[in-house]
């Protein structure tokens, strides 16, 4: 894991004291809310429905036990004993008091964490593959690249006031576990002639106008990566629309210019840049990469697992993935118990997950964009003990990528921008499909719910997506089918008129029944949808 | 009726204007008539409340009720955590929102 050097630590500590002063001035009346709001947002502090909300950055979703313990401590000490893991691999606290906020940030700084750039029109937390450094299919660990981007984009003076927020994702495998093509810039690290480079996609995003990112460059070596990205964002910063926030994202600019013209301008900008001023020497990248060296795996760890406990075997099949190191595995801890709140974890659960990471996973945890937690490096021989500990704490739901592994944004229960509640819908659907055998029979089925058009719940990328809308003051839910945020990326389409709260649960069951009736051998829900099209689903829903 | 609401500056708590002060309980809300904007401005100046705004509501047998579901959820708390609502002991509290 990356560790702060003295510059990083000074930067974060100084920022905490600066914000402490700003909070004092707000409370004393020296600053109006209009003056203070942009300052608190730059420190991740929002005002939501019930209280202030603090969004803590978890760079590329990686954290260690000490950091997870601190998140638990903060939840207990300053909040109401829990936190919410988000689709941007961050953590949100829902019940923060303004005068506690500087102390919380100071506590976070002691474990090399902060909330900087988790809001505002700047480059946000860099997201990545939750299995980075562990997945058998990656060409290299994408996190050194993500860390390079984090350092470059933190407090970047030119990109602090972009036309709109800007999101990066970095992966290093053909399988896309980070919805890379649905980011403003998505990067896939690829190998060519024995060296690594970045394949760059631009202009993706969800929200009001969902767009799949287009490839703009097939290979940029690490020694030119920052200058190339600088050119990409400069062109956006220059021409992105500031007159209309709904048209301000880079995806709108690229659609308006056309991808060829955007690339032409980027290349012209790139040619004119003083690259030496921007790109770090290779030695600096290698210094960063050294922090992500593989842990000390045992060379002869046994590669077999005793599957005699049937409940354990189910969890093994569903939630455990293949590690690049023989004898090890990647274990996903589901934060989606049936009837629970997707992505929520209590302080006790966070402490337990931190303890288990320390004991079984070389002190590493990951947050997934699907709002689960991963222990990336577990010895196969330890999997049963790990599962037992999780099971005892109610954290051993064997439902990864099944219909009850629902992504849900906070929705109208917490979010001031929401039109409708997301969480109760997720709970009702999970309860309807609670039978584990039924879920497994349905197979991989990614269901994603957003409480408004901003799409934090990734509904456009759901095999089944649900969007909450406000219909004359009552909650209404649109159903979408056929999306994917993975390597088979696609945007879901609306089935037709929306449903009320009970109706949407029935509607989900209806479309799964159509799938069960129509599927061919080996087809997932989304495969059947792609083969048969929308009509049979529409017919079943609306007659 | 017209109800004035906002969030407490320091705690972020949802608060309602009672006629002379702010309360965390919607039951205490008063009808501000056409005075809402003026009170909001004065209160914002007094630094007690963050971004106060006027909403529509109606007086019911059990007290004032905001017209829009968003403000009913603000008045109660998150519907999926009844233990954290202002009426944790009332099993009917969640239904009040809908
Ligand atoms: S999608 Fe909308 S309701 Fe959900 S968290 Fe984002 S802004 Fe809030």
């Amino acid at each position: 894991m990356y560790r702060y050097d003295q510059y990083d630590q000074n930067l974060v500590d100084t920022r905490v004291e600066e914000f402490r002063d700003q909070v004092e001035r707000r409370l004393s009346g020296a600053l109006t809310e209009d003056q203070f709001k942009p300052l608190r947002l730059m420190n991740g502090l929002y005002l939501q429905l019930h209280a202030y909300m603090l969004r803590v950055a978890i760079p590329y979703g990686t954290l260690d036990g000490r950091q997870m313990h601190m998140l638990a401590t903060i939840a207990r000490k300053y909040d109401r004993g829990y936190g919410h893991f988000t689709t941007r691999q961050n953590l949100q606290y829902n019940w923060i008091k303004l005068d506690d906020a500087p102390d919380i940030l100071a506590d976070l700084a002691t474990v090399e964490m902060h909330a900087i750039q988790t809001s505002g029109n700047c480059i946000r937390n860099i997201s990545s593959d939750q299995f980075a450094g562990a997945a058998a299919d990656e060409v290299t660990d994408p996190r050194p690249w993500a860390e390079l981007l984090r350092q470059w984009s933190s407090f970047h003076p030119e990109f602090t006031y972009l036309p709109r927020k800007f999101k990066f994702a970095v992966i290093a495998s053909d399988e896309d576990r980070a919805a890379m093509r649905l980011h403003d810039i998505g990067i896939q690290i690829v190998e060519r002639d024995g060296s690594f480079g970045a394949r760059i996609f631009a202009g993706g995003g969800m929200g009001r106008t969902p767009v799949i990112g287009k490839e703009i460059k097939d290979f940029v070596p690490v020694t030119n990566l920052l200058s190339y990205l600088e050119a990409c964002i400069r062109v956006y910063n220059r021409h992105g629309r500031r007159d209309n926030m709904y048209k301000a994202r880079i995806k709108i600019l690229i659609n308006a210019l056309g991808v060829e013209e955007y690339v032409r301008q980027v290349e012209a900008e790139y040619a004119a840049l003083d690259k030496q001023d921007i790109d770090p020497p290779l030695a600096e990248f290698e210094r960063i990469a050294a922090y992500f060296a593989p842990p000390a795996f045992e060379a002869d760890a046994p590669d077999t697992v005793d599957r005699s406990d049937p409940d354990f075997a189910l969890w093994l099949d569903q939630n455990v993935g293949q590690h690049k190191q023989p004898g090890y595995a990647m274990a996903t801890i589901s934060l989606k118990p049936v009837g629970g709140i997707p992505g929520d974890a209590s302080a006790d659960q966070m402490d337990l997950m931190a303890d288990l990471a320390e004991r079984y996973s070389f002190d590493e945890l990951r947050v997934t964009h699907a709002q689960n937690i991963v222990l990336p490096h577990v010895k196969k021989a330890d999997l049963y003990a790990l599962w037992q500990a999780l099971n005892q704490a109610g954290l051993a739901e064997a439902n990864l990528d099944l219909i009850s592994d629902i992504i849900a944004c906070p929705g109208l229960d917490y979010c001031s921008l929401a039109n409708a509640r997301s969480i109760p819908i997720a709970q009702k659907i999970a309860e309807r499909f609670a039978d584990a055998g039924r879920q497994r029979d349905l197979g991989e089925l990614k269901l994603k719910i957003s409480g408004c058009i901003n799409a934090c719940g990734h509904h456009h990328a759901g095999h089944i997506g649900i969007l909450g809308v406000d219909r004359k003051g009552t909650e209404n839910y649109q159903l979408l089918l056929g999306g994917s945020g993975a390597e088979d990326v696609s945007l879901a389409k609306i089935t037709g008129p929306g449903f009320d709260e009970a109706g949407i649960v029935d509607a989900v069951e209806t479309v799964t029944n159509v799938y069960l009736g129509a599927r061919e051998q080996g087809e997932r829900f989304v495969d059947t949808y792609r083969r048969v099209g929308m009509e049979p689903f529409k017919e079943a829903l609306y007659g | 009726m017209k109800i004035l609401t906002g969030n407490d500056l320091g705690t972020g708590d949802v608060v309602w204007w009672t006629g002379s002060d702010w309360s965390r309980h919607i039951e205490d809300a008063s009808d501000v008539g056409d005075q809402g904007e003026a009170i909001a401005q004065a209160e914002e100046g007094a630094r007690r409340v963050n971004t106060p705004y006027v909403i529509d509501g109606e007086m019911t047998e059990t007290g004032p009720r905001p017209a829009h579901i968003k403000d009913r959820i603000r008045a109660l708390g998150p519907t999926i955590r009844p233990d954290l609502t202002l009426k944790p002991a009332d099993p009917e509290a969640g239904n009040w929102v809908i």
Side-chain angles (χ1 to χ4, degrees):
Chain A
M1 276 197 51
Y2 183 74
R3 298 299 304 259
Y4 281 8
D5 60 20
Q6 77 192 61
Y7 298 103
D8 295 307
Q9 192 67 52
N10 283 345
L11 213 68
V12 172
D13 291 344
T14 307
R15 185 59 174 257
V16 172
E17 289 319 304
E18 183 185 63
F19 188 54
R20 190 182 296 284
D21 177 62
Q22 289 161 346
V23 168
E24 275 165 20
R25 287 191 287 144
R26 172 66 184 127
L27 290 168
S28 75
L31 292 178
T32 65
E33 184 60 17
D34 282 348
Q35 292 166 327
F36 179 64
K37 187 175 172 185
L39 302 175
R40 70 168 157 78
L41 288 177
M42 283 181 189
N43 290 285
L45 194 67
Y46 290 70
L47 184 62
Q48 291 289 26
L49 285 190
H50 309 293
Y52 293 98
M53 178 271 276
L54 182 69
R55 182 180 295 152
V56 178
I58 301 176
Y60 31 92
T62 294
L63 70 174
D64 62 18
R66 174 186 65 121
Q67 292 173 319
M68 186 65 115
H69 277 306
M70 180 54 82
L71 295 178
T73 301
I74 290 170
R76 240 181 240 117
K77 190 166 157 193
Y78 302 104
D79 202 89
R80 298 195 176 179
Y82 70 106
H84 177 76
F85 290 98
T86 75
T87 51
R88 291 279 305 152
Q89 299 174 296
N90 291 322
L91 178 96
Q92 294 181 178
Y93 294 111
N94 297 304
W95 304 93
I96 296 302
K97 294 183 171 54
L98 180 57
D99 45 9
D100 284 339
D103 290 338
I104 299 171
L105 296 179
D107 284 355
L108 284 171
T110 65
V111 294
E112 304 171 26
M113 295 183 89
H114 59 69
I116 298 161
Q117 291 180 210
T118 59
S119 175
N121 293 337
C122 53
I123 298 174
R124 301 288 189 89
N125 186 33
I126 314 292
S127 58
S128 187
D129 184 344
Q130 68 270 22
F131 297 144
D137 64 346
E138 72 181 16
V139 297
T140 185
D141 187 338
R143 290 173 304 162
W145 302 70
E147 173 58 26
L148 188 67
L149 296 191
R150 186 193 73 79
Q151 297 194 14
W152 160 75
S153 62
S154 295
F155 298 120
H156 193 306
E158 196 179 322
F159 302 145
T160 305
Y161 295 98
L162 293 169
R164 201 73 180 89
K165 58 186 167 186
F166 205 94
K167 300 176 182 177
F168 276 96
V170 187
I171 65 171
S173 54
D174 286 335
E175 195 175 313
D176 181 0
R177 293 173 284 261
M180 181 270 288
R181 301 269 310 265
L182 296 168
H183 283 72
D184 294 284
I185 288 187
I187 296 176
Q188 181 184 0
I189 310 303
V190 291
E191 193 172 3
R192 183 190 280 180
D193 303 329
S195 58
F196 298 114
R199 185 178 171 205
I200 298 179
F201 298 84
M206 291 189 250
R208 188 172 295 263
T209 316
V211 181
I212 295 170
K214 297 166 192 72
E215 182 169 352
I216 60 162
K217 191 84 175 166
D218 61 350
F219 193 88
V220 183
V222 68
T223 42
N224 298 125
L225 181 64
L226 297 187
S227 51
Y228 193 81
L229 294 176
E230 189 111 349
C232 291
I233 303 187
R234 269 199 182 170
V235 172
Y236 165 59
N237 204 16
R238 189 175 301 143
H239 299 302
R241 288 185 59 174
R242 292 170 191 271
D243 61 320
N244 181 342
M245 74 177 284
Y246 301 120
K247 299 201 162 140
R249 297 288 287 266
I250 191 175
K251 59 192 173 187
I252 305 290
L253 176 71
I254 292 179
N255 274 354
L257 288 178
V259 70
E260 293 77 16
E261 174 59 15
Y262 173 73
V263 171
R264 191 194 65 73
Q265 293 196 22
V266 167
E267 293 290 342
E269 184 69 37
Y270 180 63
L273 274 178
D274 180 0
K275 298 175 187 61
Q276 275 188 337
D277 212 33
I278 300 167
D279 287 308
L282 192 57
E284 174 59 10
F285 177 72
E286 283 165 356
R287 185 190 71 85
I288 292 172
Y291 285 104
F292 299 92
F297 295 121
E298 278 175 31
D300 50 0
D303 209 31
T304 52
V305 183
D306 178 356
R307 301 171 53 92
S308 52
D309 182 328
D311 290 336
F312 169 62
L314 287 178
W315 180 78
L316 202 59
D317 292 340
Q318 203 62 50
N319 288 37
V320 176
Q322 199 193 339
H323 201 285
K324 60 167 83 167
Q325 175 73 20
Y328 286 80
M330 310 177 299
T332 299
I333 304 173
S334 168
L335 296 181
K336 320 286 178 64
V338 170
I341 298 174
D344 273 17
S346 69
D348 289 350
Q349 288 176 326
M350 290 185 221
D351 273 335
L352 176 75
M353 293 188 287
D355 287 341
L356 294 172
E358 286 161 358
R359 196 172 325 145
Y360 297 121
S361 183
F362 293 95
D363 197 19
E364 258 196 59
L365 305 106
R366 310 286 174 75
V367 182
T368 81
H369 85 274
Q371 303 176 288
N372 293 315
I373 302 294
V374 168
L375 301 187
H377 309 299
V378 183
K379 219 192 291 180
K380 286 189 176 171
D382 288 335
L383 281 168
Y384 189 58
L386 169 66
W387 174 80
Q388 284 179 306
L390 291 171
N391 199 27
Q392 226 168 23
L395 285 170
E397 196 77 34
N399 64 350
L400 184 65
D401 294 337
L402 300 181
I403 192 169
S404 65
D405 182 15
I406 297 170
I407 291 181
C409 77
L412 193 53
D413 280 300
Y414 292 102
C415 175
S416 57
L417 299 173
N419 286 324
R421 288 172 296 163
S422 309
I423 300 166
I425 303 301
Q427 290 174 320
K428 289 193 171 93
I429 292 170
E431 278 158 12
R432 177 73 63 94
F433 292 90
D435 183 85
R438 186 179 182 197
Q439 287 190 45
R440 280 198 302 281
D441 180 40
L442 282 169
E444 181 186 305
L445 209 170
K446 299 193 178 180
L447 200 152
K448 310 188 183 199
I449 310 177
S450 304
C452 81
I453 194 77
N454 289 328
C456 304
H458 293 191
H459 63 276
H460 299 296
H463 296 173
I464 297 178
I466 295 175
L467 167 64
V469 295
D470 180 337
R471 214 175 66 178
K472 297 186 192 129
T474 60
E475 296 164 298
N476 196 262
Y477 297 92
Q478 290 180 347
L479 184 67
L480 299 90
L481 301 178
S484 170
E487 60 284 0
D488 61 345
V489 62
S490 59
L491 300 171
K493 292 196 171 62
I494 296 176
T495 56
F499 303 88
D500 64 12
E501 195 178 334
I504 189 69
V505 182
D506 292 339
V508 168
E509 188 163 37
T510 301
V511 295
T512 59
N513 286 339
V514 172
Y515 157 64
L516 289 175
R519 75 173 160 190
E520 291 180 353
Q521 184 71 24
E523 275 185 345
R524 303 168 301 162
F525 177 92
V526 71
D527 301 325
T528 301
Y529 168 84
R530 286 172 181 161
R531 180 174 53 79
V532 305
M534 180 65 95
E535 266 325 299
F537 295 95
K538 264 189 160 166
E539 178 65 26
L541 287 166
Y542 305 108
Chain B
M1 70 186 286
K2 296 282 184 194
I3 300 173
L4 180 62
T5 181
N7 289 74
D8 184 88
L9 177 60
T11 63
D13 285 347
V14 175
V15 289
W16 312 91
W17 181 249
T18 66
S20 57
D21 203 349
W22 295 96
S23 166
R24 291 169 67 225
H25 300 279
I26 181 75
E27 290 85 350
D28 301 333
S30 67
D31 187 350
V32 293
D34 58 4
Q35 293 303 300
E37 296 301 335
I39 303 168
Q41 231 173 14
E43 283 299 306
E44 205 155 30
R47 306 190 304 274
R48 294 197 291 182
V49 75
N50 204 340
T51 52
Y53 60 99
V54 179
I55 59 166
D56 288 321
E58 56 167 341
M59 185 54 80
T60 71
E61 278 174 16
T62 51
R65 178 180 162 90
H68 198 274
I69 183 171
K70 180 177 285 192
D71 294 299
R72 294 200 290 278
I73 291 177
R74 288 180 69 244
L76 178 76
T79 63
I80 34 77
R81 285 296 301 262
D83 56 320
L84 300 179
T85 66
L86 276 177
K87 298 173 182 172
D90 180 358
E92 284 303 304
N95 294 336
W96 179 81
V97 167
I98 313 308

